[in-house]
Amino acid sequence: AASESLDVVLSPAPHGDRIAWVRINSPIGAELPEGGDIVVAPVSDLASATSVRHFPFSSPSGAVQGFGLDVQWLDDSTLAYVGVQMNYNSLSHDTTMTGLEVTLVHLSAGANTVSVVGGTTGASSLAIGPTTGLLHFTRDGDSRIFQLQLPDTTATITYDFGALGVARDVRVAGSRLLAVVGGSELQGGTIYLIDGGVATALTPTGSFWRHPSSRPDGRAFVAERYDTIATTFDIYTDSLP
């Protein structure tokens, strides 16, 4: 008989008439997922999705990626993602992730190839744009947002939140950036808008938010808010200044 499992879908990334996403398979009751894939499908036929990268995966750097996050299209034939390692705490029963590196999947009619973007060791989140080949990323335990213009491999600092805390979930919002700062990896923190070297808090202190996403024109965002009483997440949307 087939074993019972839970399939999780993460990081949907539409691009024209195609969409890519992360599909994770985890047996019910397992401490960690047993594997997963980055898949691509026509928007009109999601059931025909094909795997372009299977996990776990030993990357060209030698790191073992448990799966990928923040999948995005770099161009028509290249996907970018953050390779991560999953960790399970047997005392708290929490599953956390350690960022490893930004990785590119080069799609082709033959065999797909993979490369690691130099200068992105420890990357924990990724955003692309607004110009071609411009990467924004955060690092585990770091208060800074970095940027890197491909094919360069030297990252520069876009913004440092300093004592406000660790930066996560960087996202492009038009010509500006969004990031989650402080709090915790599991519950989230405060969402900030970074514009012209100035960071403005968008959510109230003491509330916990994660995974913001901007509307294509950069004038509104959606995000998950943690309900500290129900211990669940709800999805909210709001305009951007």
Side-chain angles (χ1 to χ4, degrees), residues 116-129:
V116 171
V117 178
T120 64
T121 300
S124 58
S125 69
L126 171 69
I128 295 177

mmCIF file with all atom_site columns, all heavy atoms in Angstrom, residues 116-129:
data_model
loop_
_atom_site.group_PDB
_atom_site.id
_atom_site.type_symbol
_atom_site.label_atom_id
_atom_site.label_alt_id
_atom_site.label_comp_id
_atom_site.label_asym_id
_atom_site.label_entity_id
_atom_site.label_seq_id
_atom_site.pdbx_PDB_ins_code
_atom_site.Cartn_x
_atom_site.Cartn_y
_atom_site.Cartn_z
_atom_site.occupancy
_atom_site.B_iso_or_equiv
_atom_site.pdbx_formal_charge
_atom_site.auth_seq_id
_atom_site.auth_comp_id
_atom_site.auth_asym_id
_atom_site.auth_atom_id
_atom_site.pdbx_PDB_model_num
ATOM 1  N N   . VAL A 1 116 ? 26.333 27.575 -8.920  1.00 0.00 ? 116 VAL A N   1
ATOM 2  C CA  . VAL A 1 116 ? 26.181 28.335 -7.674  1.00 0.00 ? 116 VAL A CA  1
ATOM 3  C C   . VAL A 1 116 ? 26.704 29.745 -7.892  1.00 0.00 ? 116 VAL A C   1
ATOM 4  O O   . VAL A 1 116 ? 27.764 29.932 -8.493  1.00 0.00 ? 116 VAL A O   1
ATOM 5  C CB  . VAL A 1 116 ? 26.940 27.643 -6.523  1.00 0.00 ? 116 VAL A CB  1
ATOM 6  C CG1 . VAL A 1 116 ? 26.973 28.535 -5.279  1.00 0.00 ? 116 VAL A CG1 1
ATOM 7  C CG2 . VAL A 1 116 ? 26.299 26.302 -6.199  1.00 0.00 ? 116 VAL A CG2 1
ATOM 8  N N   . VAL A 1 117 ? 25.974 30.740 -7.424  1.00 0.00 ? 117 VAL A N   1
ATOM 9  C CA  . VAL A 1 117 ? 26.397 32.131 -7.563  1.00 0.00 ? 117 VAL A CA  1
ATOM 10 C C   . VAL A 1 117 ? 27.438 32.441 -6.495  1.00 0.00 ? 117 VAL A C   1
ATOM 11 O O   . VAL A 1 117 ? 27.151 32.376 -5.292  1.00 0.00 ? 117 VAL A O   1
ATOM 12 C CB  . VAL A 1 117 ? 25.204 33.094 -7.430  1.00 0.00 ? 117 VAL A CB  1
ATOM 13 C CG1 . VAL A 1 117 ? 25.685 34.546 -7.541  1.00 0.00 ? 117 VAL A CG1 1
ATOM 14 C CG2 . VAL A 1 117 ? 24.156 32.801 -8.502  1.00 0.00 ? 117 VAL A CG2 1
ATOM 15 N N   . GLY A 1 118 ? 28.644 32.761 -6.921  1.00 0.00 ? 118 GLY A N   1
ATOM 16 C CA  . GLY A 1 118 ? 29.699 33.105 -5.977  1.00 0.00 ? 118 GLY A CA  1
ATOM 17 C C   . GLY A 1 118 ? 29.349 34.341 -5.164  1.00 0.00 ? 118 GLY A C   1
ATOM 18 O O   . GLY A 1 118 ? 28.631 35.225 -5.632  1.00 0.00 ? 118 GLY A O   1
ATOM 19 N N   . GLY A 1 119 ? 29.825 34.399 -3.946  1.00 0.00 ? 119 GLY A N   1
ATOM 20 C CA  . GLY A 1 119 ? 29.568 35.552 -3.093  1.00 0.00 ? 119 GLY A CA  1
ATOM 21 C C   . GLY A 1 119 ? 28.247 35.496 -2.355  1.00 0.00 ? 119 GLY A C   1
ATOM 22 O O   . GLY A 1 119 ? 27.864 36.486 -1.722  1.00 0.00 ? 119 GLY A O   1
ATOM 23 N N   . THR A 1 120 ? 27.521 34.357 -2.427  1.00 0.00 ? 120 THR A N   1
ATOM 24 C CA  . THR A 1 120 ? 26.201 34.276 -1.780  1.00 0.00 ? 120 THR A CA  1
ATOM 25 C C   . THR A 1 120 ? 26.153 33.221 -0.676  1.00 0.00 ? 120 THR A C   1
ATOM 26 O O   . THR A 1 120 ? 25.068 32.812 -0.256  1.00 0.00 ? 120 THR A O   1
ATOM 27 C CB  . THR A 1 120 ? 25.100 33.960 -2.809  1.00 0.00 ? 120 THR A CB  1
ATOM 28 O OG1 . THR A 1 120 ? 25.323 32.658 -3.380  1.00 0.00 ? 120 THR A OG1 1
ATOM 29 C CG2 . THR A 1 120 ? 25.068 35.017 -3.909  1.00 0.00 ? 120 THR A CG2 1
ATOM 30 N N   . THR A 1 121 ? 27.295 32.788 -0.183  1.00 0.00 ? 121 THR A N   1
ATOM 31 C CA  . THR A 1 121 ? 27.318 31.786 0.886   1.00 0.00 ? 121 THR A CA  1
ATOM 32 C C   . THR A 1 121 ? 26.500 32.263 2.086   1.00 0.00 ? 121 THR A C   1
ATOM 33 O O   . THR A 1 121 ? 26.640 33.395 2.534   1.00 0.00 ? 121 THR A O   1
ATOM 34 C CB  . THR A 1 121 ? 28.762 31.508 1.332   1.00 0.00 ? 121 THR A CB  1
ATOM 35 O OG1 . THR A 1 121 ? 29.505 31.012 0.215   1.00 0.00 ? 121 THR A OG1 1
ATOM 36 C CG2 . THR A 1 121 ? 28.803 30.488 2.447   1.00 0.00 ? 121 THR A CG2 1
ATOM 37 N N   . GLY A 1 122 ? 25.653 31.388 2.598   1.00 0.00 ? 122 GLY A N   1
ATOM 38 C CA  . GLY A 1 122 ? 24.816 31.725 3.744   1.00 0.00 ? 122 GLY A CA  1
ATOM 39 C C   . GLY A 1 122 ? 23.539 32.443 3.396   1.00 0.00 ? 122 GLY A C   1
ATOM 40 O O   . GLY A 1 122 ? 22.798 32.856 4.296   1.00 0.00 ? 122 GLY A O   1
ATOM 41 N N   . ALA A 1 123 ? 23.247 32.596 2.090   1.00 0.00 ? 123 ALA A N   1
ATOM 42 C CA  . ALA A 1 123 ? 22.029 33.308 1.682   1.00 0.00 ? 123 ALA A CA  1
ATOM 43 C C   . ALA A 1 123 ? 20.790 32.642 2.267   1.00 0.00 ? 123 ALA A C   1
ATOM 44 O O   . ALA A 1 123 ? 20.658 31.413 2.244   1.00 0.00 ? 123 ALA A O   1
ATOM 45 C CB  . ALA A 1 123 ? 21.926 33.353 0.161   1.00 0.00 ? 123 ALA A CB  1
ATOM 46 N N   . SER A 1 124 ? 19.868 33.464 2.787   1.00 0.00 ? 124 SER A N   1
ATOM 47 C CA  . SER A 1 124 ? 18.656 32.935 3.412   1.00 0.00 ? 124 SER A CA  1
ATOM 48 C C   . SER A 1 124 ? 17.385 33.350 2.691   1.00 0.00 ? 124 SER A C   1
ATOM 49 O O   . SER A 1 124 ? 16.321 32.748 2.912   1.00 0.00 ? 124 SER A O   1
ATOM 50 C CB  . SER A 1 124 ? 18.576 33.398 4.869   1.00 0.00 ? 124 SER A CB  1
ATOM 51 O OG  . SER A 1 124 ? 18.593 34.820 4.947   1.00 0.00 ? 124 SER A OG  1
ATOM 52 N N   . SER A 1 125 ? 17.430 34.384 1.862   1.00 0.00 ? 125 SER A N   1
ATOM 53 C CA  . SER A 1 125 ? 16.287 34.783 1.040   1.00 0.00 ? 125 SER A CA  1
ATOM 54 C C   . SER A 1 125 ? 16.820 35.488 -0.194  1.00 0.00 ? 125 SER A C   1
ATOM 55 O O   . SER A 1 125 ? 17.970 35.950 -0.218  1.00 0.00 ? 125 SER A O   1
ATOM 56 C CB  . SER A 1 125 ? 15.307 35.682 1.805   1.00 0.00 ? 125 SER A CB  1
ATOM 57 O OG  . SER A 1 125 ? 15.859 36.958 2.072   1.00 0.00 ? 125 SER A OG  1
ATOM 58 N N   . LEU A 1 126 ? 15.960 35.577 -1.225  1.00 0.00 ? 126 LEU A N   1
ATOM 59 C CA  . LEU A 1 126 ? 16.417 36.081 -2.517  1.00 0.00 ? 126 LEU A CA  1
ATOM 60 C C   . LEU A 1 126 ? 15.315 36.860 -3.205  1.00 0.00 ? 126 LEU A C   1
ATOM 61 O O   . LEU A 1 126 ? 14.141 36.469 -3.161  1.00 0.00 ? 126 LEU A O   1
ATOM 62 C CB  . LEU A 1 126 ? 16.833 34.904 -3.410  1.00 0.00 ? 126 LEU A CB  1
ATOM 63 C CG  . LEU A 1 126 ? 17.135 35.194 -4.886  1.00 0.00 ? 126 LEU A CG  1
ATOM 64 C CD1 . LEU A 1 126 ? 18.411 36.020 -5.015  1.00 0.00 ? 126 LEU A CD1 1
ATOM 65 C CD2 . LEU A 1 126 ? 17.255 33.894 -5.664  1.00 0.00 ? 126 LEU A CD2 1
ATOM 66 N N   . ALA A 1 127 ? 15.696 37.960 -3.851  1.00 0.00 ? 127 ALA A N   1
ATOM 67 C CA  . ALA A 1 127 ? 14.787 38.718 -4.712  1.00 0.00 ? 127 ALA A CA  1
ATOM 68 C C   . ALA A 1 127 ? 15.565 39.153 -5.946  1.00 0.00 ? 127 ALA A C   1
ATOM 69 O O   . ALA A 1 127 ? 16.760 39.450 -5.859  1.00 0.00 ? 127 ALA A O   1
ATOM 70 C CB  . ALA A 1 127 ? 14.229 39.939 -3.986  1.00 0.00 ? 127 ALA A CB  1
ATOM 71 N N   . ILE A 1 128 ? 14.893 39.184 -7.089  1.00 0.00 ? 128 ILE A N   1
ATOM 72 C CA  . ILE A 1 128 ? 15.531 39.522 -8.356  1.00 0.00 ? 128 ILE A CA  1
ATOM 73 C C   . ILE A 1 128 ? 14.909 40.785 -8.938  1.00 0.00 ? 128 ILE A C   1
ATOM 74 O O   . ILE A 1 128 ? 13.698 40.938 -8.946  1.00 0.00 ? 128 ILE A O   1
ATOM 75 C CB  . ILE A 1 128 ? 15.398 38.364 -9.360  1.00 0.00 ? 128 ILE A CB  1
ATOM 76 C CG1 . ILE A 1 128 ? 16.168 37.137 -8.855  1.00 0.00 ? 128 ILE A CG1 1
ATOM 77 C CG2 . ILE A 1 128 ? 15.904 38.768 -10.736 1.00 0.00 ? 128 ILE A CG2 1
ATOM 78 C CD1 . ILE A 1 128 ? 16.028 35.921 -9.733  1.00 0.00 ? 128 ILE A CD1 1
ATOM 79 N N   . GLY A 1 129 ? 15.770 41.683 -9.440  1.00 0.00 ? 129 GLY A N   1
ATOM 80 C CA  . GLY A 1 129 ? 15.272 42.871 -10.122 1.00 0.00 ? 129 GLY A CA  1
ATOM 81 C C   . GLY A 1 129 ? 15.531 44.148 -9.341  1.00 0.00 ? 129 GLY A C   1
ATOM 82 O O   . GLY A 1 129 ? 16.183 44.131 -8.304  1.00 0.00 ? 129 GLY A O   1
#
